[in-house]
Amino acid sequence: AMGEKEYNWALRNNLKIEKTAAELYVEAWPIVLETRRQMIDLAGEIGRLRGWRLPADGPSAVRAVFDELSKDYPKSDAEMIAWYHDAAFRLVDYGRKTGIFDVPADYKLDIVETPPPLQASIDGAAYYPAPPFSNTGVGRFYVTPTADDPAALQRNNRAALATLAAHEGFPGHDWHYK
């Protein structure tokens, strides 16, 4: 919308990138192809480990793995919230073990059901930070209940909710605000 000249100016002046958008696009294509190859390899590995028969076509195998993983979903809102909690704290543990982040021993993150007055405005999950300029508050990772709706619970399958837990909880918004 801004035009190529202005976009290239923004790359240079805002992001301190000397290459043009066109150059970045050309350089990115091998990375896209390598990432795609890694996804296909990983799908094959997951399929082998789980004993799934996958299509021989790589992209179809990836789709099949996603379809199979989506079948593992919570059967109730209580289970869904518990899974979000477990996913978030597995991420915290991973951050500590790998040293990616210096996570204090007293790190806290509340993962709770979205309060009723906020449920109409929060589809899925959201993060509300601790009070600013306070060292004692704890951020809240809200998970909106589905009224135990099977279709809505299926959208929160175990594989998908991990990415939302990483986005809203740790290291996402919570770590960003800290």
Side-chain angles (χ1 to χ4, degrees):
M2 69 171 51
E4 185 177 357
K5 182 178 176 184
E6 290 81 8
Y7 193 87
N8 288 333
W9 181 92
L11 285 172
R12 269 191 323 278
N13 294 289
N14 297 343
L15 300 176
K16 307 299 183 215
I17 296 173
E18 293 302 320
K19 295 180 181 181
T20 67
E23 291 169 327
L24 292 172
Y25 181 84
V26 169
E27 287 180 13
W29 190 242
I31 298 167
V32 170
L33 292 176
E34 175 59 15
T35 301
R36 184 174 185 255
R37 185 199 61 75
Q38 289 175 5
M39 289 176 66
I40 291 168
D41 289 351
L42 180 58
E45 183 180 338
I46 291 169
R48 280 188 297 282
L49 290 173
R50 297 197 178 208
W52 297 336
R53 291 185 56 114
L54 300 178
D57 173 57
S60 296
V62 171
R63 176 76 263 158
V65 167
F66 278 122
D67 290 344
E68 284 298 318
L69 290 173
S70 72
K71 294 176 183 176
D72 184 15
Y73 63 91
K75 305 307 182 247
S76 69
D77 289 336
E79 186 174 41
M80 176 181 69
I81 293 168
W83 284 12
Y84 272 106
H85 183 275
D86 292 346
F89 283 94
R90 279 196 322 272
L91 288 162
V92 170
D93 188 50
Y94 179 81
R96 283 185 175 127
K97 284 181 179 175
T98 61
I100 290 174
F101 301 102
D102 185 17
V103 185
D106 63 347
Y107 174 77
K108 291 185 173 83
L109 171 65
D110 285 348
I111 301 163
V112 296
E113 183 176 312
T114 305
L118 297 175
Q119 289 179 6
S121 65
I122 298 175
D123 182 29
Y127 179 79
Y128 278 64
F133 312 113
S134 170
N135 293 330
T136 60
V138 175
R140 290 199 175 90
F141 174 2
Y142 288 136
V143 178
T144 302
T146 69
D148 293 330
D149 173 27
L153 289 165
Q154 191 168 10
R155 286 190 299 273
N156 288 278
N157 63 70
R158 194 179 304 267
L161 69 79
T163 58
L164 192 54
H167 175 87
E168 298 295 347
F170 183 89
H173 292 305
D174 188 61
W175 197 250
H176 172 241
Y177 278 101
K178 286 182 180 8

